[in-house]
Amino acid sequence: MNNEEVFFSKFRLKHGDKEMYIGSKAISAHEGEVLKLLQSQESVRIGDIVRWLNRMGSHETFEAPQKKTTVRKVYQIIRNLRELGCPIVGDHHGIWIAKSVEEVEAFAYHLEQKARSDVASMLHLKKQMLKMVNINPHSLFDSLNLDLDKTTV
């Protein structure tokens, strides 16, 4: 087994008496169900996960038994699994567990490009909004006494 196979093999579910684990960390039943679904499919859409979990019952019945699992809750489950070290990646077709370092790198690159695009859009919108109220966007920086030509990021 090479290093990459060892790295990705640790994301298999281990079943205890009543709990499931990623490595040595216990996960919730719904996190385990989402992880099992991701392991059984090439790619899964978020909406399909929501419908599937709702067929199983409410996500957190102890908090709000009348509520159904939402897209927001599924994204939280995915964030939790990622924080535990599960390499969940995705694109506009769905999400899946990465099978290689290259998939993780491609996903990280995609995230960075999306973030750069979002920031550029927001800065453009900010500039347009300030122009609407006759404020020079550059005058905001002048009040900070920053020498932007010498500042590096």
Side-chain angles (χ1 to χ4, degrees):
M1 205 182 261
N2 67 29
N3 287 343
E4 190 171 302
E5 290 169 336
V6 170
F7 177 77
F8 287 97
S9 69
K10 71 180 179 182
F11 300 107
R12 303 295 181 254
L13 281 178
K14 298 175 189 171
H15 297 274
D17 293 333
K18 292 185 179 181
E19 295 180 321
M20 288 179 274
Y21 299 86
I22 295 178
S24 62
K25 298 175 183 170
I27 61 174
S28 73
H30 276 80
E31 289 167 343
E33 292 301 320
V34 169
L35 194 52
K36 283 193 284 189
L37 181 63
L38 290 173
Q39 289 175 335
S40 70
Q41 309 271 329
E42 286 295 315
S43 177
V44 182
R45 290 189 162 289
I46 298 296
D48 293 337
I49 296 172
V50 170
R51 284 186 288 282
W52 186 65
L53 289 175
N54 281 328
R55 281 195 298 268
M56 292 178 54
S58 178
H59 177 64
E60 293 179 347
T61 55
F62 64 91
E63 281 186 9
Q66 74 280 6
K67 288 191 174 183
K68 297 285 187 187
T69 298
T70 62
V71 170
R72 179 180 291 179
K73 189 53 82 174
V74 170
Y75 277 116
Q76 182 61 52
I77 290 170
I78 293 163
R79 274 191 300 277
N80 293 348
L81 291 170
R82 284 176 174 155
E83 287 173 7
L84 289 170
C86 188
I88 298 173
V89 298
D91 61 16
H92 62 282
H93 295 294
I95 61 170
W96 63 93
I97 298 174
K99 294 173 185 64
S100 69
V101 171
E102 289 78 17
E103 279 186 295
V104 173
E105 288 173 340
F107 181 67
Y109 178 78
H110 168 75
L111 286 178
E112 182 179 348
Q113 294 305 309
K114 182 173 178 356
R116 288 176 186 271
S117 175
D118 289 350
V119 167
S121 295
M122 286 183 252
L123 289 174
H124 178 73
L125 176 60
K126 175 186 167 188
K127 184 177 177 181
Q128 293 303 107
M129 296 301 290
L130 290 173
K131 278 185 180 179
M132 284 181 208
V133 292
N134 294 322
I135 296 175
N136 179 355
H138 300 291
S139 66
L140 296 175
F141 292 108
D142 294 341
S143 65
L144 297 175
N145 296 322
L146 293 177
D147 188 354
L148 295 179
D149 294 329
K150 294 181 183 176
T151 306
T152 58
V153 180

